[in-house]
Amino acid sequence: MQMLDASRFQDADKYEAYLKTPSGRLRSELAWENLCRFLPRNPSKRRVLDVGGGTGFASVQLARMGYQVVLLDSSEEMLRIAREKAGAGSVAARISFCHGDAGRLSELFDAESFDIVVCHNLLEYGENPSTIVRDIANVLRKGAVLSVLVRNRAGEVLKDAIKSRDWKLAVANLTAETAVDSLYDEPIRVFTLTQVRDLLTRAKLETVAEHGVRVFSDYVDLENQTDAAYSQLFELESALGVRSEFAAIARYIQVISRRSDASSSEVTGP
């Protein structure tokens, strides 16, 4: 497999600009809507870890709801933008900004110290996804919620077949471990739903919901969308994403899981 260089994220302004596009908004907002259904009550008493939280979309949303959030990211530039957004949203007091690598979770945080962990678009870049998921499981309290969002291999195949019309590449991507990230033109790891399920099962986490994120919107013109058109697009994407036959070809896989009754010491290693 090609090396996955996370240094691309030092160009945080480029990433933040993408998140403001219709495609970027859909990815963030659909994943957020899916997660919201499983958030625990009494937010002021709950602690959240946003692993690889980047420029802070999920962290700011959670802080607005009253949760105490730790945003962990390896890019100082991402954290700079996240701090600015938190300040603008008057929620900086509820967010702790931690500069560090997801591979050091066991060093940075105590076992069973979080009620929610958000892990969106991080495992694509981690050196060992199974170790990251195992370490996340160890910091989850009993009954805590984990949301994982990753790039879907099937979605990459369909995108190349439809958009680039590179059918040889589409065939190759059926079994490829990585695809090319169009934003940075760098390799990115891709997953199947079976692989994500296996990562969570080995970490003694119980899957409670599965979603596809961005089923069809990558194949239509999203420029100059009115607010009403975006709302309709969002509504249809949301409806399709919960149906397995459509979720299977979405650009992203989102799985919501909970920590089982097994203790963190029983979590399976990589």
Side-chain angles (χ1 to χ4, degrees):
M1 185 179 72
Q2 293 174 281
M3 293 297 292
L4 303 175
D5 182 8
S7 66
R8 71 192 80 177
F9 293 121
Q10 296 307 314
D11 189 354
D13 290 322
K14 183 176 184 178
Y15 184 72
E16 179 65 8
Y18 159 73
L19 293 180
K20 294 177 181 178
T21 67
S23 292
R25 284 184 61 196
L26 279 168
R27 189 184 76 178
S28 299
E29 293 173 5
L30 285 165
W32 171 248
E33 179 187 66
N34 295 335
L35 171 60
C36 278
R37 301 187 183 105
F38 299 92
L39 293 176
R41 299 177 181 177
N42 302 319
S44 63
K45 299 179 181 180
R46 307 288 186 172
R47 194 163 180 243
V48 180
L49 174 61
D50 190 359
V51 185
T55 57
F57 174 85
S59 290
V60 170
Q61 299 294 326
L62 287 158
R64 282 175 179 161
M65 296 177 70
Y67 293 98
Q68 295 296 318
V69 182
V70 176
L71 195 169
L72 174 69
D73 203 275
S74 62
S75 168
E76 286 280 20
E77 285 300 298
M78 292 283 188
L79 292 174
R80 172 184 60 80
I81 294 175
R83 288 188 183 96
E84 292 172 357
K85 290 166 72 172
S90 302
V91 294
R94 288 197 288 272
I95 304 177
S96 299
F97 300 91
C98 181
H99 180 233
D101 190 89
R104 297 180 54 232
L105 285 175
S106 59
E107 303 171 33
L108 294 170
F109 306 109
D110 293 334
E112 302 183 25
S113 55
F114 292 99
D115 302 285
I116 306 163
V117 174
V118 179
C119 183
H120 290 179
N121 305 114
L122 169 75
L123 298 182
E124 291 96 326
Y125 309 97
E127 183 176 345
N128 193 329
S130 63
T131 299
I132 294 173
V133 173
R134 180 201 65 193
D135 290 345
I136 288 174
N138 285 335
V139 302
L140 290 173
R141 292 172 177 151
K142 180 179 176 181
V145 174
L146 166 64
S147 175
V148 170
L149 182 73
V150 295
R151 193 75 67 96
N152 182 16
R153 179 188 288 166
E156 291 300 315
V157 173
L158 194 64
K159 182 201 70 169
D160 287 324
I162 294 175
K163 298 193 75 171
S164 71
R165 299 176 66 85
D166 187 339
W167 296 302
K168 288 185 178 180
L169 178 59
V171 171
N173 277 346
L174 284 168
T175 56
E177 293 184 4
T178 63
V180 175
D181 177 11
S182 58
L183 183 62
Y184 291 99
D185 197 30
E186 294 281 350
I188 182 172
R189 184 182 283 107
V190 290
F191 293 83
T192 66
L193 179 57
T194 299
Q195 288 173 326
V196 179
R197 288 171 176 166
D198 182 60
L199 288 173
L200 297 170
T201 299
R202 291 174 63 191
K204 304 296 184 184
L205 298 172
E206 177 186 3
T207 295
V208 295
E210 297 173 347
H211 303 272
V213 171
R214 282 195 359 218
V215 173
F216 73 93
S217 54
D218 286 58
Y219 313 112
V220 298
D221 183 7
L222 297 182
E223 296 302 315
N224 303 313
Q225 291 279 325
T226 64
D227 289 344
Y230 179 85
S231 295
Q232 292 173 352
L233 178 71
F234 185 94
E235 182 179 0
L236 180 55
E237 279 282 6
S238 183
L240 296 179
V242 298
R243 298 182 58 165
S244 59
E245 67 269 34
F246 295 106
I249 58 170
R251 290 298 307 284
Y252 297 88
I253 296 165
Q254 184 178 11
V255 179
I256 311 293
S257 62
R258 294 187 190 277
R259 184 187 153 188
S260 68
D261 291 343
S263 68
S264 59
S265 63
E266 294 174 320
V267 171
T268 304

